[in-house]
Amino acid sequence: MRTQLKISAAVAAAALALTGLTACGDSSSGAAADGKLKIMVGGLDKVIYLPARLTQQLGYFKAEGLDVTLLTEPAGVQATTSLLSGDVQGVVGFYDHTLDLQAKNKQVESVVQLARTPGEVEVVSTKAAGDITSPKDFKGKTLGVTGLGSSTDFLTKYLAVKNGVKTEEFHSVAVGAGQTFLSALQQGSIQGGMTTDPTVAQVVDKKLGKVLVDMRTPEGSQQALGGLYPSSSLYMNTDWVNSHKDTVQKLANAFVKTLKWMSTHTPEEIAAKMPADYAQGGKELYVKAIKDTLPMFTKDGVMPADGPATVERVLKSFNPNLKDATIDLKKTYTTEFVKK
């Protein structure tokens, strides 16, 4: 009897999985008709992508008549794959992917620009702090990134090249964020790496490492990258945007309301709205992580005027796909929806 039950359960589970896959496959075409949408986030618990979950927590998607499911992937590069395959209608990830994809003949655009700086931090482990005092010392080192081909990978390469270290002279390892990043640092499998809050706050609090390059503020972005570097954004396939303008407008309305709400509330008030399990290092540390990262966000979702040019310059300095490519920056973002 038990065996029969197990078999029946397995068959039911398989049927359910199949149904789920079918739903995923054609979701991008009919998704907006009933306001149902899937958005993939490059790490839902990362503070750099906080507006995605906060918009849901504040009820702003619902207020616009949208039924949004937020999914999570540890790195932006995997989130982009989900968008291109039609499994999701949008991605909350780094704007720089829109340029990278245009060079590969894929047309994707940022419809809400959530941030004007990367919000990323290059940390160095306590053990290696004597050897790595600036990106000039990256040569021969093993450095952690969330995923190969991710924005942390892009920015690590730029910091190296800008400081005279070739991309082949150091080793990048995909270590994700949060606990996996902390473990890699602790075990010495990486000497440093690029990550965001709340991971940064935990690295410093646990004395596992210290901040080497801080790109959470406009000043830090200017110093490291020579200008504002628009990062976290809601980006979507251009064809989908053009054929679902009403839905995109509702999404933009919801996100801009959240950005305005964030600009008038304290880190404590923001933290109180977020799921309790996002504060992995404790509530106080989570509040600090939000406070340190808040300067990166825009208040209106509008792309900073000179931001796209900075991103192009940074990517072209090390990315062979982009080096000789002609990028039409106007096609990588739109302000049509946020300005309404």
Side-chain angles (χ1 to χ4, degrees), residues 98 230 260:
T98 66
K260 284 184 175 154

Side-chain angles (χ1 to χ4, degrees), residues 69-86:
T69 301
L70 296 175
L71 305 164
T72 188
E73 275 285 5
V77 65
Q78 284 123 330
T80 304
T81 307
S82 299
L83 181 70
L84 296 177
S85 65

Side-chain angles (χ1 to χ4, degrees), residues 153-155 157-159 161 167 313-321 323:
D153 192 19
F154 290 166
L155 288 169
K157 283 176 175 164
Y158 175 73
L159 291 179
V161 169
T167 54
R313 176 176 52 75
V314 166
L315 293 182
K316 284 195 167 188
S317 71
F318 66 84
N319 190 326
N321 296 330
K323 216 157 221 166

Side-chain angles (χ1 to χ4, degrees), residues 50 54 57 261-262 265-279 282-291 294:
L50 180 142
L54 186 59
Q57 299 289 101
W261 188 93
M262 285 167 67
H265 288 76
T266 65
E268 287 80 4
E269 288 168 326
I270 295 168
K273 290 283 180 192
M274 298 299 284
D277 62 342
Y278 281 23
K283 198 178 172 187
E284 272 180 44
L285 209 57
Y286 188 54
V287 168
K288 185 188 182 325
I290 291 173
K291 187 183 177 187
L294 270 181

Side-chain angles (χ1 to χ4, degrees), residues 40-46 49 72-79 146-147 150 175-177 180:
M40 184 66 81
V41 184
L44 256 177
D45 57 352
K46 292 178 188 173
Y49 299 139
T72 188
E73 275 285 5
V77 65
Q78 284 123 330
T146 49
S150 67
V175 292
T180 50

Side-chain angles (χ1 to χ4, degrees), residues 96-310:
D96 53 21
H97 290 292
T98 66
L99 280 75
D100 191 47
L101 288 166
Q102 195 186 107
K104 295 167 183 166
N105 297 314
K106 304 267 192 283
Q107 199 51 59
V108 168
E109 63 189 15
S110 162
V111 293
V112 183
Q113 195 54 47
L114 303 171
R116 55 203 176 136
T117 75
E120 301 281 355
V121 175
E122 183 70 33
V123 299
V124 55
S125 78
T126 307
K127 291 172 199 161
D131 293 335
I132 306 174
T133 57
S134 90
K136 286 177 184 165
D137 304 320
F138 283 176
K139 195 172 179 177
K141 303 295 187 291
T142 301
L143 303 171
V145 295
T146 49
L148 300 177
S150 67
S151 300
T152 50
D153 192 19
F154 290 166
L155 288 169
T156 304
K157 283 176 175 164
Y158 175 73
L159 291 179
V161 169
K162 186 193 174 196
N163 288 278
V165 180
K166 292 176 186 162
T167 54
E168 62 271 19
E169 290 180 324
F170 68 95
H171 190 45
S172 290
V173 186
V175 292
Q179 200 46 56
T180 50
F181 186 95
L182 297 172
S183 298
L185 211 56
Q186 205 161 12
Q187 289 158 13
S189 52
I190 57 171
Q191 282 91 54
M194 194 170 290
T195 190
T196 59
D197 275 311
T199 310
V200 179
Q202 291 179 64
V203 168
V204 176
D205 184 62
K206 292 174 191 284
K207 299 188 169 46
L208 294 176
K210 62 175 198 172
V211 172
L212 187 71
V213 180
D214 192 338
M215 295 175 280
R216 290 175 289 194
T217 63
E219 299 75 29
S221 180
Q222 182 72 46
Q223 204 177 338
L225 307 168
L228 289 179
Y229 190 97
S231 59
S232 310
S233 64
L234 170 66
Y235 62 82
M236 311 177 93
N237 283 310
T238 301
D239 285 347
W240 200 91
V241 171
N242 292 337
S243 57
H244 296 81
K245 289 202 170 194
D246 285 354
T247 304
V248 178
Q249 187 61 59
K250 288 172 183 176
L251 279 169
N253 295 347
F255 274 110
V256 172
K257 268 190 215 166
T258 300
L259 291 167
K260 284 184 175 154
W261 188 93
M262 285 167 67
S263 71
T264 57
H265 288 76
T266 65
E268 287 80 4
E269 288 168 326
I270 295 168
K273 290 283 180 192
M274 298 299 284
D277 62 342
Y278 281 23
Q280 286 163 6
K283 198 178 172 187
E284 272 180 44
L285 209 57
Y286 188 54
V287 168
K288 185 188 182 325
I290 291 173
K291 187 183 177 187
D292 290 343
T293 308
L294 270 181
M296 76 180 281
F297 295 109
T298 67
K299 289 175 185 175
D300 53 11
V302 176
M303 174 67 77
D306 52 356
T310 305

